[in-house]
Structure formats: C-alpha cells, structure tokens
C-alpha cells in the first residue's frame, strides 16, 4: 500500500458518460509527484497537438499530489492544467481551501477529463466511488447557491464543491474555477475549459485519508511550524492577509497604478491590509490543517456596496487590479467587485486589469460612451468599475467585449488599443512591477503560462535570506535593480523550485526558499515523512525542472516560439512619480537576459527544450513527440 497517495487516477469521458480508474506504478508517482508535472504528462500524451482549447477533444487535468491531505500547514492545493483558451499556450492555475484534502480523502489523486456532456452534469466523488449527476438545475446559478444546493441534494454539509460560475458557462476567457465560493483556480481561463465540457462542478467527500510513512516525523514538523509561526516573516500575512504587502509596494514605487503608468497611488492607504483589518474584516479563514489563516473574510451591511462574507474578501492582487490599476481607493467597491468575481467565477487579476486597460482606452478616446453603453469608464470611478465587473460576469454590453481579456479586446479595437495592453502571452500582468524588481521582467516573459508573480522568488529575497538561498546553491546576492548573469541564474533556479512547489502541491506562502514558514530542507523532510521515499533536495528540484520543461515543450508543440517571450510595450516606457519615476525596462537587457536564460536552461535559441535536456530529465518521450533535435 502506498504512503501519502491513493494510487488511483480517475479518467472521465463526458461524451461517453463513463468513469474509469487507472492505477499507475510507484515509479510514475515518484517521477511526476502530482500537480503540473502529472497534468502535463496526460496533456502531452493525449491532448491532440493544435487542438481548440474549448473542443471536446481537449483534456482538462485536475491534480493533487503525493502529499496532499497530510496533516501539516500548506499542503491542501489543487492544480488545474489544460490548453489555455486565453493564451493558446499551456494553462495553469492553483487553489487552496479544503477541497484538495477532501478530494484526496475521497480516494483519488487526480481527475483527467475529456469529452463534452450532452447536458450539464456534475461529478460526485465519494470514498472511491465516482458518478456523473445531472446539473441542468444548477446551470446559471452563482457559486454560493450551487454549493448549498449540492450539499442539500446529497445530504451532507461537509461536501466540498469545486465549480464554475455563469461566466464559465458562457465560456468567458476570464473565467476561473471556484471552491468554497471564494478560493480560485484563477489564471489562464480554466473555467471556460470546464464550461466547454458542460461540467458544472466536482463535488467531493471522503474519509479515506492515505497513510503517512512516518507520522512522528511529520508531527514534529507540524509542531515546529506552529511554534515558530509567530516569529516568522509570514506572521503578519496571517494578521492582515496578502493585502498587508500593499504599503510596501507603494513605498518602493512598485504598486501598478492607472494601467501601469505609475508605481505609486495616492489612495493606497484606503486599500491597505491594516485598513481592511480595522474596518470591514469579519474574520480570518484558513485551508485544511494550516496555521497561517491568511484568508480574508469581509462583510459590509450598509452603503452602496454590500458584501456577503460567504465570498471571502480581496487579496493583494485584487486590491491592486480593481484599486490602484483603476485609480480607485474605495475599499468597499473593490470588495464588491471581488464578490462578483467569486459569485460568477471570474479571475480577479484578469478582470480588474482588463477594466484598467479599458479605462485607459476610454481616457484616450479609443473606447467611447457609445461602446460602453453610456458608462463613463474613467480612472477613479468606483461606480463604473463595479458596473463593468458585473457586465463582464454576465457577458452583457461592454462586458461581452471585455470578458475575453484585454489582449483579445485590443485585437478587436486595433493598434492604438494594443499599445496599452499590459499582458504577456495574453495573460495580464499581476501587481508586481519588474521595473523595481528586475528578475520579474525575465520571468514574466519566459513563463510558459504568461505573466505570473508566483513563478519564482522575487529579487529582495536573494540578499535577505542567505542561509535558505545557499541550500539552492545561490550564494552571490545581486542588487534588486540589475538583470545580470547571476540574476538570471537566480531567476532560473528559483523558477525551477517554484515549479516544484506547484508539482508537489504546496502553498508558496508556507513552503519556499526564503521568507516562507518552512525552507527547502524542511520540504525534503516533509516529503520523506509522508511518502517514505528517501528523496533528496536535488531530486525534488529536478522534478520542478521536469515540469517546467514539459510546459515549454507543450508550448513549442502548439507553435509558440521565442517571439512569444516578450514584454508589453508599456514596460519599456518610463514610470511617472514616486521612487520609480523615470524607470523602465530596456530592450538591450531583455535580449541579453533571454539569451543567457535559454542557454542556462539547456534550450535552443527558440526557447525549446533540446533532446539532450529532455533525456537528462528522464522524459525523452517528449522529445520524440516534438521531433526535438
């Protein structure tokens, strides 16, 4: 009997209406671990090259890992992969909550889904059993109502529900997947893929928790985390959530403002995590077995923007994209936009950033009141922002144009609109600025699923956490504002480590190479305690590198080249105001960094993994599929 995992992967064919179980070998689990790598294994093997992401033939991989559900902080994560309808590249997203641990207890390590149901259905997983049930009565309903309806229908209030909202049903490319009515697999349009299959939800309930190899060692690690949490650098995140970082970003000139025209926002204090804690915060929620309790729960009962605590509360990215990106300092309005996104199943980063782009277009006369249905879509208008968020959620009016993200809308509007886009591979930039943290410029450009702030460790950590960095062989800290050869190496190494975190399925706020609660060596100890495998840090980092190479190979198969590893024009324009005034990325530093990065990764000049690299990683079959030289 395996430790840590079930040894069962569920294969669902929605066209045929069948559910079958596959039982891979222990060697398969040890090589791919779960998450990104496991999802990519099935996508590369079985999803046809060039497939339309919303076609029945396209695969959707919902994966856990070999440690999901273990009783320790930061392990309850679910990863979703498919070809992205937003980017045309690999789609990737992660979420926390209680759904992942409950899904593991329900008896499965992953769900691989293909086909399209004739009518809306939901998947019900419970103690090793799987069945497809009618969901026609749930279609069109918002997430909170669907969760309540499924629990009532199945007679168990402990059931966890992962679902799409009406936005995913309408195939909006901004659509995400929601669990607990407030935890999102947010980026790259995975909600649209699920909607294209007429799959409304995956409900899970189980009592079959996999055995742990060394419960005493695991318990000691868990106790260490609980004991050291109050003295750790993530303690404030527990108190004020990710929103607590907003003031820091403002101080360094790294808070994107008015569609990335500036790195400072005069109304930032109204949005800060401490302000939220002192005003609308109702409580702090957590994920399964986690001591941090960083999830915000807010409530507003008076005024124009009333907010239901069922739908959580805004995180840093949401406060920035709907706040400073849009020039809006109204915390209640941002909380309302967050609720709308969680009700209808929209990614808050893509939605908020797209509205900011639309405001920029409106200010410059590219969009007019005739286009917006009479809405004065100007920076600083909280009323317009909330109204347009709801229109995007419902696919109505100007929301129909914006529901597929800024890059698609810009293509419809023309070159002037395209010049204002802030996205990489059509995936909007998150709220961390490469102008002030230089490694982000490189990683935003090369990341397989587009711009993502959680794809590597940010620049300040190199010098700030020397002991933990040394565990990864990083011993030569560089200034934050440079992008030299050593900074490129730092970017690559930490990117591989973060790819490991998304493969082993742990929270990047709890496990990491720097400021997180647990460090790299403790991750090794945890995997050993759960699985019983005598793994090393090198073996685990190689698993992350393997996943990253599989994603790049997937993109190469779908026709992406080095030309897609580029930043939007806005990042090459000097910023206005504050500590970052006048700063911009340069074409020269990007060209040099890209060339150096490709060579360090063992890729060709187009950023494609070579056959030698894929063979080295034990995935030569990928090279055969690509015809790599």
């Amino acid at each position: 009997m395996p430790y840590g995992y079930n040894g069962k992967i569920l294969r669902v064919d929605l066209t045929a209406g069948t559910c079958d179980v596959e039982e891979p070998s222990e060697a398969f689990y040890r090589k791919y671990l779960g998450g990104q790598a496991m999802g990519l294994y099935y996508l590369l093997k079985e999803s046809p090259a060039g497939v339309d992401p919303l076609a029945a033939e396209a695969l959707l991989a919902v994966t856990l890992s070999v440690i999901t559900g273990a009783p320790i902080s930061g392990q309850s994560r679910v990863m979703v992969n498919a070809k992205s309808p937003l980017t045309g590249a690999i789609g990737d997203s992660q979420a926390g909550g209680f759904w992942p641990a409950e899904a593991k207890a329900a008896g499965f390590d992953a769900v691989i889904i293909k086909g399209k149901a004739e009518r809306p259905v939901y998947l019900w997983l419970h103690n090793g059993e799987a069945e497809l049930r009618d969901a026609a009565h749930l279609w069109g309903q918002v997430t909170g109502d669907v969760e309540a309806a499924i629990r009532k229908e199945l007679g168990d209030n402990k059931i966890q529900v992962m679902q799409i909202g009406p936005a995913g049903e309408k195939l909006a490319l901004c659509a995400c997947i929601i669990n607990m009515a407030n935890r999102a697999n947010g980026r790259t349009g995975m909600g649209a893929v699920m909607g294209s299959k007429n799959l409304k939800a995956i409900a899970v309930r189980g009592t079959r928790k996999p055995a742990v190899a060394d419960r005493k060692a695991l318990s000691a690690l868990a106790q260490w985390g609980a004991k050291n949490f109050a003295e750790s650098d993530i303690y404030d995140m527990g108190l004020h959530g990710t929103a607590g970082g907003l003031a820091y970003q403002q101080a360094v000139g790294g808070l994107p403002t008015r569609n990335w025209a500036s790195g400072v926002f005069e109304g930032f204090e109204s949005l800060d995590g401490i302000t939220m804690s002192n005003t609308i915060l109702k409580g702090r929620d957590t994920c399964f077995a986690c001591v941090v309790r960083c999830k915000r729960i807010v409530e507003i009962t008076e005024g124009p923007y009333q907010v239901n605590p069922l739908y959580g509360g805004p995180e840093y990215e949401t406060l920035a994209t709907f706040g400073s990106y849009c020039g809006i300092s109204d915390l209640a309005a941002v909380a309302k936009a967050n609720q709308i996104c969680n009700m209808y199943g929209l990614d808050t980063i893509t939605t908020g950033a797209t509205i900011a782009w639309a405001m920029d277009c409106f200010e410059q006369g590219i969009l007019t009141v005739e286009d917006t249905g009479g809405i004065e879509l100007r920076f600083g208008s909280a009323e317009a922002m909330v109204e347009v968020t709801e229109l995007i959620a419902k696919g109505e009016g100007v929301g129909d144009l914006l529901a597929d993200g800024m890059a698609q809308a810009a293509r419809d509007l023309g070159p002037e609109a395209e010049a204002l886009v802030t996205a990489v591979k059509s995936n909007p930039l998150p709220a961390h600025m490469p102008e002030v943290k230089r490694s982000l410029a490189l990683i935003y450009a090369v990341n397989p699923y587009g711009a993502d702030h959680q794809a590597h460790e940010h620049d300040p950590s190199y010098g700030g956490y020397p002991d933990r960095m040394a565990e990864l062989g990083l011993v030569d800290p560089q200034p934050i504002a440079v992008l030299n050869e050593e900074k490129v190496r730092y970017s690559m190494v930490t990117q591989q480590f973060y790819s490991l975190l998304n493969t082993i399925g742990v929270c990047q706020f709890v496990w990491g190479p720097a400021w997180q609660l647990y460090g790299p060596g403790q991750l090794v100890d945890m995997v050993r305690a759960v699985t019983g495998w005598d793994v090393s840090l090198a073996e685990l980092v190689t698993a992350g590198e393997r996943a990253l190479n599989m994603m790049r190979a997937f993109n190469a198969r779908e026709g992406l080249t080095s030309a897609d590893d580029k930043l939007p024009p806005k990042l090459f324009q000097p910023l206005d105001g504050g500590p970052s005034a006048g700063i911009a990325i340069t074409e020269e530093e990007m060209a040099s960094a890209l060339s150096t990065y490709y060579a360090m990764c063992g890729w060709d000049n187009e950023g494609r993994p070579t056959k030698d690299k894929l063979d080295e990683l034990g995935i030569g079959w990928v090279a055969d599929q690509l015809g790599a030289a």
Side-chain angles (χ1 to χ4, degrees), residues 226-239:
K227 179 181 178 181
N228 287 274
F229 170 57
E231 303 301 321
S232 74
D233 283 353
I234 66 163
Y235 180 70
D236 282 349
M237 185 179 292
L239 292 181

Side-chain angles (χ1 to χ4, degrees), residues 249 252-254 433-438 459 480-481 575 579-580 583:
Q249 300 293 354
V252 299
M433 303 187 76
E435 293 94 332
V436 298
K437 292 189 283 189
R438 237 15 175 228
D459 302 65
I480 293 172
L575 293 169
S580 54
I583 297 177

Side-chain angles (χ1 to χ4, degrees), residues 191-245:
V193 177
M194 194 163 158
S196 73
K197 298 184 175 303
N198 274 340
L199 180 61
K200 178 65 173 174
I202 304 175
V204 296
R205 181 76 172 101
T207 57
R208 298 183 174 184
K209 297 179 180 179
V212 171
D214 189 341
R215 185 163 292 276
K216 183 178 179 180
L218 185 65
S219 178
L221 269 175
Q223 290 172 15
W224 182 94
K227 179 181 178 181
N228 287 274
F229 170 57
E231 303 301 321
S232 74
D233 283 353
I234 66 163
Y235 180 70
D236 282 349
M237 185 179 292
L239 292 181
H240 304 300
T242 57

